Amino acid sequence: MREKFKQQLEEMYRQMVIMGSLCQQAIAVAVRTLDEEEDRAEKLEAQVFAVDGEIDDMEREIEALCTKLLLKQQPVAADLRRITAALKMVTDLERIGDQASDIAELARFIRKGGAHSHLKQMAAEVIRMVSESVDAYVRQDVDLAQQVIAADDEVDGYFDRIKAHLIDRIAKDVDDGEATLDLLMIAKYYERIGDHATNIAEWVMFSVTGVHKAEAT
């Protein structure tokens, strides 16, 4: 019985890694739409939507597997925490997929040829956070989870700098306001993705220590 439980737990880990990879892919493709003309960007947007659909499917599959583990395998306390954490984490991963779709939808209409380096750096940082948060869960690595949580401050810093720049841009050219607001919304979605990666890392901490940040404060 215990060996079967271990196999199913390993399968859950495998699926979590796949779901995390899909989230990273969705974010990476979404940011590419900033550099493409609308016809090409529209195709990239469709790719993000397709990956988001796969992420939704993965959420349901992992939830079903977690339910099976809870109902049939009678996990001990440590395993119960891991399963509970996974159920929470897939919700954050699913929302990351949704927000990548939102980014792609907005970015398709952004005027091309602009300077979007800060957005790209922000995207690279949140991709790293998502990757490392899932990796921390599979490895049960508290130190890596803490690094992800600390990295959220850097993402917030990117957002503050981008917001200040865009406010200045609107002040100089009010006719460019709609596109500027779209860029600000994209930056906000990246900030939210960073928040979701932080949530995942906090559930990693719970799965290892049994204490969640919300309970500790």
Side-chain angles (χ1 to χ4, degrees):
M1 179 69 76
R2 185 66 188 172
E3 184 60 32
K4 184 176 181 181
F5 175 81
K6 184 178 178 181
Q7 290 173 359
Q8 290 178 327
L9 200 63
E10 290 295 330
E11 174 61 16
M12 184 188 72
Y13 290 155
R14 188 185 71 83
Q15 291 192 25
M16 291 288 289
V17 170
I18 293 172
M19 190 176 182
S21 296
L22 288 170
C23 288
Q24 295 166 56
Q25 180 183 342
I27 301 166
V29 175
V31 76
R32 285 172 52 199
T33 60
L34 289 166
D35 291 327
E36 301 291 346
E37 295 300 330
E38 189 170 339
D39 56 344
R40 174 60 180 160
E42 187 174 1
K43 293 177 182 177
L44 293 175
E45 179 188 12
Q47 288 181 31
V48 176
F49 289 168
V51 174
D52 186 22
E54 292 182 59
I55 291 168
D56 292 343
D57 291 340
M58 292 295 303
E59 180 188 26
R60 289 188 287 269
E61 290 175 17
I62 294 170
E63 286 177 341
L65 180 54
C66 288
T67 301
K68 185 186 297 184
L69 286 166
L70 289 170
L71 294 178
K72 295 185 176 181
Q73 299 298 338
Q74 297 179 330
V76 298
D79 294 329
L80 182 60
R81 291 198 304 268
R82 294 184 191 185
I83 297 166
T84 301
L87 285 167
K88 298 290 187 177
M89 291 164 64
V90 294
T91 299
D92 282 297
L93 289 170
E94 189 275 333
R95 289 174 181 167
I96 288 171
D98 290 344
Q99 285 157 2
S101 291
D102 291 333
I103 290 167
E105 188 173 7
L106 282 171
R108 181 159 68 90
F109 298 103
I110 298 293
R111 187 177 66 231
K112 310 308 168 186
H116 307 303
S117 60
H118 286 316
L119 283 172
K120 292 173 187 175
Q121 291 166 1
M122 198 176 183
E125 184 63 22
V126 297
I127 288 171
R128 185 180 67 81
M129 289 177 68
V130 172
S131 173
E132 291 184 353
S133 64
V134 175
D135 191 29
Y137 173 70
V138 173
R139 291 162 47 186
Q140 293 288 278
D141 189 332
V142 169
D143 290 338
L144 185 56
Q146 289 175 329
Q147 290 175 30
V148 173
I149 293 168
D152 193 43
D153 288 340
E154 185 170 350
V155 172
D156 290 343
Y158 275 122
F159 177 73
D160 290 340
R161 289 192 293 275
I162 290 169
K163 181 171 67 173
H165 168 72
L166 293 176
I167 288 172
D168 183 62
R169 175 168 153 176
I170 289 176
K172 292 178 179 177
D173 184 4
V174 293
D175 293 334
D176 196 34
E178 185 174 351
T180 302
L181 288 174
D182 285 343
L183 287 168
L184 182 59
M185 184 59 69
I186 289 171
K188 187 62 180 177
Y189 282 131
Y190 283 132
E191 184 198 31
R192 289 176 181 171
I193 290 172
D195 290 341
H196 287 304
T198 299
N199 289 344
I200 292 168
E202 288 172 352
W203 282 111
V204 173
M205 301 290 290
F206 167 80
S207 72
V208 177
T209 67
V211 177
H212 190 264
K213 180 180 178 181
E215 298 172 345
T217 55

